[in-house]
Amino acid sequence: MSTLRESRPTYAVIDLGQFERNVDVIARSLPEGARLVAVLKADGYGHGAVELAKRLTADRVAMIATSLLEEALELRHAGIELPLLVLGPITREQIRLALDNRITIGVIGPEELAFVCDAARECDVAIHLKLDSGMGRMGVVESELPRVIEMIRATPRLRIDGIYTHFANADDAADPFTEIQIGNYDRMLAVLREAGIDPPLHHFANSAATLRGLVRPGDFARVGIAMYGPEPITIATGTIEPVLRWRTEIMRLKELPAGHAVGYGTTFHTTRTSRIATLPVGYADGYDRLLSNNAEVSIRGKRAPVVGRVSMDLVTIDVTDVADAVIGDEVILLGDSITAEELAKRSQTISYEVFCGISARVPRVYAEGGTFHIRSRFAE
Ligand SMILES: *Cc1c(COP(=O)(O)O)cnc(C)c1O
């Protein structure tokens, strides 16, 4: 199943050129000396981390960050040579594996630091240290700093390359909490500096903080969602556009009389003679069940409503008002004017989950100079 024609007609097309343009627009927006850390966790938010990473050169980004150690190893094993940062958490047993593969560990607390210090008895270890500036999830809290400082001082072969924190609500510019977090972070940095721990690298900004211009000169910015284009976003240095287009085709098209039921639970009944089209995609592919009777698709440049329940493998749409629709027509689930933001609102979530939710059953198709490269879990 290595050609598009042999593949199921439901697949996601990833525009690597658009990905590069988005990265460049964001990189150009950074202040003097600041650099991008491209966040490719969760398989590059469902887009395909390896394929995206191959487009990230050292002049574009300083590092790639993942959540899991496995995600970083996947990139290393695919030949990605950029510095890799694992945001973690990782287990004690994984530390050796990280070091052997030149993967920087983002240390998320004193317990993990103790494991890392153990490893640093036998070899040099470089880490980034995470501080909890108010989010309450990962990172060292202020009261733990004395203990952390003591451990670092007692471990000469441990090198702190960077210090970072994470914002809880940077996408709400009206929420003063981000400023409070920055204040807490600066205070903790000062305590560490006082103790002689003063690494060259600092980073706190996610996409929202970066687009708000909160990145400091010389800092890193850890950017994920903005690289993928959850919706078109215009900033001073250009426009960020969606990278992923999720498409399928009409496989069955029928005329139903007024008053006919459609789908499980008979939640939809036609109110007129209707043309109902069946699409080979469902919640097992990541098309959320909350989109039942509650979304639109794009077909022949027009929008058509999803009618009835989204089932595991099938979706039904009403194309009565798309008079020329026929079997085999391309149907866009995500793309054209339908953004991840729109689907997210309709399914009561965020664009991140829409992207991550597109399951492994959906092949990813990469356009490469006129030819296609398919990544499918069904490929041999
Ligand atoms: C996911 C993540 C990011 C990226 O966040 P976006 O909102 O996608 O830019 C940055 N830092 C950390 C610690 C993260 O977990």
Side-chain angles (χ1 to χ4, degrees), residues 19 22-23 26 36-41 44-45 47 52 65 205-208 210 221-230 240 352 355:
F19 176 71
N22 289 350
V23 171
I26 299 161
L36 267 185
V37 177
V39 181
L40 296 183
K41 61 192 180 192
Y45 295 38
H47 291 62
L52 299 185
N206 55 3
S207 291
T210 301
R222 299 183 312 269
V223 173
I225 194 74
M227 297 191 299
Y228 307 105
I240 292 164
Y352 301 65
F355 286 137

